[in-house]
Amino acid sequence: MTARARQSAWIALAATLGLVFPSPRNSWAETLPKPSASLLRSLNRFEKDLQLLDQTLPNPVPGFARAKGKRVATDQVDGTPTSVLASLAPPAPGAIPSSIEAVRIQRRVRLSLPMALEVAVRNDPELAEQVAAVRERQGWLTSVRGRFWPELSLLAGSGYSQRRTDSTAWQGNEGIYPAGSPFLVRTGGWNQIQQNLQVTTAGLGLNWELVSFERNAALAESKDELKASQQRYANRLRQLQLDVSLAYYGLQLAEQLTRVRQAVVNNDAIVRGEVSALKRSGLVPRLDLLRADAALQQSQYRLEQADALRLSRQRQISNLINVPFDVTVTASEAVTLQPPWPLDLQQTLIQGFAQNPQMLALQAARDALINQANRRAAELLPSLRLFAQAGYGEVISDEPLINLNGCCGATHIPALYSQSADWAAGLQFRWRLFDGGVTSGAASASRAAAERTEQALARERNGIRQRMEAAFFDHRAALRQIVASRSSYAAAREAFRDVRARYQLGLADYTDVSQTIQLLTQTMESVAESITLANVSYAQLLRELITVPNQPGAPVNLPLVLPQPAPMLPSAAGAAPSRPNSARTAG
């Protein structure tokens, strides 16, 4: 303790005991300005703000587990969940706002994270795109399955035609037919004939592929493509859960920073006003006023940063969950620490690789390409087809113009009506022996694409492991940071109470108060940031392990915590499930 501090302590003690000691007129105690009543009121208001802010900073119990029944914020929304979902219907896919009123924010809707996830599942365009892709593949699979059934066709037709011919015999057939024969044509004879025909036909056709190696490979290819699209749908659900969680946690942090920095700006404004009054009274130098101005401007600068971040994060989550253009989403919950990750790193990796939609989608895509190569190669193999056809026809013909001059008169009938019926059936065998390498080249290309997809599978596997390991280490570090930041915050709170008491007794000035509040603000922000980092890393780990449906239309439940610890592997039977090192760190 310095001599100046010891002197101040003795003066305070003497004043408390009612003792009076003579002191020089220019002693240090007389140079301190009297405590400002308005600044004391500001400090009391700041203390109340701290108590409110304290409620948003959870106190972790040993092991970082959340205490039961200690949630400080409840899920609140504007209206019932049903009415909120109805009011947050997505804009039409092709809707483009064209007026200022269409994009002006008219409503601010407070959503909890589970409600935001539910809205996202209903509104997300990319998820709807994956649903349409699954339906598309289901349609193609139905189309290929239809090739195993016979094809039955109805054939019908009707037509009308007219023809006129002019014929001249350059050389007749005298000598071939006797004179007077109706088939006799004289040299130079001619005729003019106009013929009208009306033809009507109807029939049934049957076509049935009995043996086709290409058809079987096409069916297997379609099944694998359907599996790939279903796994991509499931993977989008996982990614949507992560995207919405990250956006919501970021919004919570931004709102928390805004509240903290607003309280600091309010206090710094009071301090600046008091210093300005003291400067006018000649009690403090100009340097103190400049410092107070700089502190206030810096606090306002940081508040503007936090406010801009808050507005940006509101629009980020609003656009992500695809709400109407005139709605912005705010968080109804303060920053809350999720429980620690319940698995160790090795269990996390094994569980993350098991039934992972990203890897399953690539595996199915690879199998589909292999079957595509088999289908194209099978086009060179023989196929056997059954065909049958039966039909009926009517023909009406008339020749309204018949001009004969020594030519061709015996074969013309002025009007004729005829009917016919026929049928045919048989087997068609087809074997493509040579096509110049068209089929083999296509099959080779499909196999190369399958190899490319297999390498993409290896790359995705390594990427999944890297993401899980990075998130696991970040989560463990964040839990340790929470311990450090909470300790720092507790010390800063005690320092604030102490400096407020010292200022009330006249043993400290506004500079000490401002610096202490600045330190307290930094520790509060570090607590909120470390909690957000822990939640973000938890969500990143959860993204790889949660179970989601791969069938569109099935109920979707996107949990915020791992529902239950995964069962131990057979090789680890008998070993107690371990928890992350955060519990040891907390102790």
Side-chain angles (χ1 to χ4, degrees):
M1 180 179 295
T2 63
R4 183 177 180 181
R6 284 195 298 270
Q7 181 181 7
S8 301
W10 280 111
I11 294 174
L13 180 60
T16 303
L17 297 176
L19 302 178
V20 177
F21 297 96
S23 59
R25 177 173 299 180
N26 295 327
S27 66
W28 173 79
E30 293 181 352
T31 62
L32 281 176
K34 295 181 180 180
S36 168
S38 60
L39 183 55
L40 288 175
R41 288 193 298 269
S42 173
L43 293 178
N44 291 333
R45 287 195 299 269
F46 189 75
E47 174 67 22
K48 294 179 180 179
D49 291 338
L50 286 179
Q51 293 175 359
L52 294 176
L53 293 173
D54 267 345
Q55 298 177 7
T56 68
L57 298 177
N59 292 303
V61 300
F64 296 100
R66 182 187 301 167
K68 296 183 179 180
K70 294 295 185 180
R71 284 191 68 149
V72 297
T74 58
D75 297 346
Q76 298 177 350
V77 295
D78 295 340
T80 63
T82 303
S83 64
V84 171
L85 290 176
S87 66
L88 297 181
I96 300 178
S98 57
S99 64
I100 296 177
E101 291 298 325
V103 295
R104 178 175 286 123
I105 301 302
Q106 305 289 344
R107 292 183 295 152
R108 297 183 182 276
V109 181
R110 296 187 303 120
L111 294 180
S112 64
L113 181 51
M115 183 66 73
L117 287 172
E118 187 173 355
V119 174
V121 171
R122 291 172 177 250
N123 295 1
D124 184 51
E126 188 171 346
L127 186 63
E129 182 182 351
Q130 295 300 332
V131 172
V134 172
R135 293 175 179 171
E136 176 187 0
R137 300 321 310 177
Q138 288 174 339
W140 285 115
L141 179 59
T142 302
S143 175
V144 175
R145 283 175 173 167
R147 295 177 56 184
F148 286 83
W149 293 90
E151 177 185 336
L152 187 64
S153 306
L154 173 63
L155 308 175
S158 179
Y160 182 84
S161 64
Q162 185 181 82
R163 184 178 63 178
R164 177 172 175 171
T165 60
D166 295 311
S167 303
T168 301
W170 290 352
Q171 182 178 356
N173 57 7
E174 296 94 340
I176 300 177
Y177 294 100
S181 171
F183 300 102
L184 180 63
V185 177
R186 299 187 181 90
T187 301
W190 56 271
N191 69 358
Q192 290 180 340
I193 305 297
Q194 178 179 328
Q195 185 182 40
N196 300 330
L197 291 176
Q198 181 177 349
V199 181
T200 302
T201 60
L204 288 175
L206 177 68
N207 197 352
W208 194 354
E209 256 185 322
L210 299 179
V211 178
S212 175
F213 300 99
E214 182 270 339
R215 178 184 59 187
N216 296 333
L219 179 63
E221 177 187 356
S222 296
K223 288 181 178 179
D224 288 331
E225 289 176 343
L226 176 59
K227 291 178 183 178
S229 63
Q230 290 172 339
Q231 296 302 330
R232 283 191 288 267
Y233 164 78
N235 184 63
R236 178 54 193 167
L237 284 176
R238 283 186 167 189
Q239 187 62 39
L240 187 63
Q241 188 267 351
L242 175 61
D243 293 343
V244 175
S245 297
L246 296 185
Y248 196 89
Y249 292 145
L251 176 58
Q252 285 180 322
L253 176 61
E255 292 183 348
Q256 178 76 16
L257 295 180
T258 302
R259 288 190 292 267
V260 171
R261 294 176 184 180
Q262 181 62 61
V264 174
V265 167
N266 295 340
N267 183 79
D268 284 349
I270 297 295
V271 170
R272 197 273 177 201
E274 294 301 324
V275 173
S276 178
L278 293 174
K279 171 65 172 63
R280 288 192 298 268
S281 302
L283 299 178
V284 296
R286 179 171 174 267
L287 176 62
D288 288 356
L289 180 60
L290 294 176
R291 288 176 177 175
D293 278 334
L296 177 59
Q297 294 300 324
Q298 184 67 18
S299 300
Q300 290 177 341
Y301 167 76
R302 289 172 58 79
L303 175 60
E304 290 296 332
Q305 277 186 324
D307 193 55
L309 180 62
R310 176 181 62 86
L311 295 175
S312 174
R313 293 293 171 80
Q314 287 179 356
R315 295 312 307 156
Q316 178 187 10
I317 192 170
S318 300
N319 293 323
L320 178 61
I321 65 178
N322 195 26
V323 297
F325 300 125
D326 61 344
V327 173
T328 194
V329 174
T330 63
S332 65
E333 297 177 323
V335 178
T336 305
L337 178 64
Q338 298 290 358
W341 187 248
L343 305 177
D344 61 21
L345 180 58
Q346 291 72 28
Q347 288 178 318
T348 300
L349 293 176
I350 297 301
Q351 296 296 330
F353 287 142
Q355 300 300 312
N356 191 294
Q358 301 172 85
M359 299 179 64
L360 293 177
L362 289 172
Q363 291 172 357
R366 177 201 58 193
D367 295 341
L369 289 170
I370 293 175
N371 285 312
Q372 183 185 81
N374 296 336
R375 175 179 61 82
R376 289 173 171 173
E379 293 177 358
L380 290 176
L381 299 178
S383 63
L384 184 63
R385 185 186 303 270
L386 171 66
F387 71 91
Q389 187 172 355
Y392 169 81
E394 293 182 350
V395 178
I396 300 176
S397 66
D398 67 284
E399 296 180 354
L401 176 61
I402 302 177
N403 292 328
L404 303 177
N405 188 356
C407 179
C408 313
T411 59
H412 298 285
I413 303 173
L416 180 65
Y417 171 75
S418 61
Q419 296 175 311
S420 64
D422 59 357
W423 67 271
L427 293 174
Q428 183 183 30
F429 179 80
R430 182 176 181 272
W431 192 350
R432 187 191 302 178
L433 299 178
F434 179 74
D435 63 358
V438 174
T439 301
S440 61
S444 177
S446 296
R447 292 190 181 95
E451 295 177 1
R452 171 174 51 81
T453 305
E454 192 168 25
Q455 295 305 316
L457 174 62
R459 183 181 68 250
E460 187 64 31
R461 177 202 61 209
N462 296 339
I464 291 172
R465 176 170 184 172
Q466 173 61 31
R467 290 193 296 270
M468 287 192 294
E469 289 176 337
F472 184 87
F473 296 139
D474 287 344
H475 184 70
R476 187 171 60 179
L479 294 177
R480 293 172 178 169
Q481 290 171 3
I482 291 174
V483 174
S485 61
R486 291 294 308 189
S487 300
S488 176
Y489 172 69
R493 279 299 306 268
E494 291 300 321
F496 171 76
R497 294 189 182 98
D498 182 71
V499 78
R500 184 181 60 175
R502 289 171 59 83
Y503 179 75
Q504 191 170 4
L505 292 173
L507 302 180
D509 60 8
Y510 48 84
T511 303
D512 299 326
V513 173
S514 179
Q515 292 176 349
T516 304
I517 290 178
Q518 182 180 6
L519 176 61
L520 179 60
T521 302
Q522 294 174 353
T523 60
M524 294 181 71
E525 292 182 1
S526 66
V527 172
E529 291 170 353
S530 60
I531 291 175
T532 302
L533 178 58
N535 290 343
V536 165
S537 56
Y538 190 101
Q540 291 170 338
L541 288 169
L542 188 66
R543 183 251 186 274
E544 306 296 342
L545 272 75
I546 58 173
T547 302
V548 292
N550 59 10
Q551 299 290 337
V556 177
N557 179 29
L558 299 179
L560 300 179
V561 296
L562 197 64
Q564 59 182 2
M568 296 295 295
L569 298 177
S571 60
S578 59
R579 299 181 65 85
N581 293 333
S582 56
R584 184 174 65 252
T585 306

